[in-house]
Amino acid sequence: MARIENEILIGKTLEWKGVFDLENKFIPEIICTNRKHEFSIDKDDISINIVLIAKANKKRSFINHYSKDMVYDNLEKVLFELLKYENIFDSRFYTTTELELDGIDITANIFQEGLTYFKSKNFYTYISLKYDDNAEYKSLFQQWNGMCDNLGIVHQMYLYS
């Protein structure tokens, strides 16, 4: 169960929910979206499980580490890497609607001070990548993160401009 130690959030599972506002527009590529990806990655010698579900204009992400509690910031870092990857290739910003740590809603706590750079009123060209399977998604996600690290991209707004 999530808890606070020395003013630091700690837990095992981070669940994020987001939505892209269609503004009453019919966009077939988004409306017909129905994909799910499950894989594990190693971060600092810790295996982290990731599940991403995209259906129409909504996305959900589960990031968890079952064996022990982690500092929220470590789980959040993986979440934002995933959202950066998803946003750049979907060409859409999904606004956070809910964020839970071990089932406890922390949306207001986290995003009251956060930047709104996961939000846009503009429609961009939809890339709509197709993935053969979870292994391909994981491989491309890791390659993307490696490239961002090698190029020193510290903020995704450089990518969108």
Side-chain angles (χ1 to χ4, degrees), residues 43-61:
K43 282 282 195 192
D44 303 321
D45 297 325
I46 298 171
S47 182
I48 297 174
N49 302 307
I50 298 172
V51 177
L52 176 90
I53 301 168
K55 289 191 179 199
N57 65 326
K58 297 180 180 178
K59 286 188 183 178
R60 291 177 74 185
S61 174

Side-chain angles (χ1 to χ4, degrees), residues 45-115:
D45 297 325
I46 298 171
S47 182
I48 297 174
N49 302 307
I50 298 172
V51 177
L52 176 90
I53 301 168
K55 289 191 179 199
N57 65 326
K58 297 180 180 178
K59 286 188 183 178
R60 291 177 74 185
S61 174
F62 303 92
I63 298 171
N64 50 46
H65 175 63
Y66 292 111
S67 62
K68 67 177 184 176
D69 287 343
M70 291 183 71
V71 174
Y72 164 78
D73 293 346
N74 293 337
L75 293 170
E76 175 194 62
K77 183 179 178 189
V78 175
L79 171 66
F80 287 155
E81 286 174 353
L82 183 66
L83 293 179
K84 180 169 45 173
Y85 176 74
E86 282 285 317
N87 287 345
I88 194 76
F89 289 109
D90 269 355
S91 303
R92 303 284 182 265
F93 294 88
Y94 284 73
T95 304
T96 299
T97 57
E98 194 174 328
L99 185 67
E100 293 182 356
L101 182 63
D102 289 352
I104 298 171
D105 189 347
I106 60 170
T107 313
N109 305 30
I110 300 301
F111 287 99
Q112 68 187 359
E113 300 170 359
L115 298 174

Side-chain angles (χ1 to χ4, degrees), residues 12-72:
K12 290 182 182 176
T13 302
L14 185 62
E15 180 179 355
W16 173 88
K17 293 178 186 174
V19 66
F20 175 72
D21 185 6
L22 293 171
E23 299 177 2
N24 297 321
K25 295 181 183 177
F26 180 78
I27 305 171
E29 297 90 350
I30 294 178
I31 298 297
C32 297
T33 297
N34 185 12
R35 60 188 171 87
K36 179 178 180 180
H37 305 290
E38 294 182 62
F39 59 96
S40 294
I41 60 171
D42 293 328
K43 282 282 195 192
D44 303 321
D45 297 325
I46 298 171
S47 182
I48 297 174
N49 302 307
I50 298 172
V51 177
L52 176 90
I53 301 168
K55 289 191 179 199
N57 65 326
K58 297 180 180 178
K59 286 188 183 178
R60 291 177 74 185
S61 174
F62 303 92
I63 298 171
N64 50 46
H65 175 63
Y66 292 111
S67 62
K68 67 177 184 176
D69 287 343
M70 291 183 71
V71 174
Y72 164 78

